[in-house]
Amino acid sequence: MSPGARRREVLSVVERDWRGARECSLTLNAMAVPVTHLIKGSLSRDVRAMIRPYPLIRLVSAPRMVFRVWLWWAVVRRTVLGRVRWVLLDQERTLRELAWWCRLWRVTPVLIQDTARGYTLAVQGRPVSLGDLVEGRP
């Protein structure tokens, strides 16, 4: 990447359990894809201290009362600046809420669901691989 190029990242919106999103971000970290997790609810210092840091993974916790405002601010800011590759969501309701914005800005909303073996990803209800998303083929 050239020094002046914008680094495109994945915005991960975590409203429930973040095991699948965390596993996905670790794989993306190994592929040099930055991930910002926007987590619903506050993370205490003790909890943050237990989470091993990785160079391309950022955690942002938003208090529940203002989570929707933080969510929209993060999505709008990153898409307008051209910094987001796709948005990873664990709630179908939030996916529906952001769908019109994603269509307008040609950002792919991706639904992640935890499974016994890790997680699955889907775009518009169809399963998709992480490799396809990284390569831009959702």
Side-chain angles (χ1 to χ4, degrees), residues 22 48-49 51-55 57:
R22 180 71 172 168
R48 281 188 181 271
I51 300 169
R52 180 177 169 199
Y54 286 87
I57 299 174

Side-chain angles (χ1 to χ4, degrees), residues 50-100:
M50 289 189 298
I51 300 169
R52 180 177 169 199
Y54 286 87
L56 298 177
I57 299 174
R58 186 169 161 233
L59 302 177
V60 177
S61 61
R64 291 182 179 278
M65 296 294 288
V66 294
F67 177 75
R68 282 285 184 262
V69 173
W70 283 41
L71 168 64
W72 276 102
W73 179 82
V75 169
V76 168
R77 181 174 176 269
R78 282 171 171 79
T79 54
V80 169
L81 294 175
R83 290 183 45 202
V84 70
R85 286 180 180 216
W86 68 84
V87 180
L88 190 64
L89 304 139
D90 65 0
Q91 285 278 353
E92 288 188 41
R93 186 188 91 184
T94 306
L95 181 124
R96 288 190 303 270
E97 180 182 337
L98 295 177
W100 70 271

Side-chain angles (χ1 to χ4, degrees), residues 92-118:
E92 288 188 41
R93 186 188 91 184
T94 306
L95 181 124
R96 288 190 303 270
E97 180 182 337
L98 295 177
W100 70 271
W101 179 264
C102 290
R103 274 192 309 276
L104 181 67
W105 287 90
R106 295 188 176 122
V107 171
T108 305
V110 179
L111 184 65
I112 185 167
Q113 295 181 315
D114 289 343
T115 66
R117 293 184 174 172

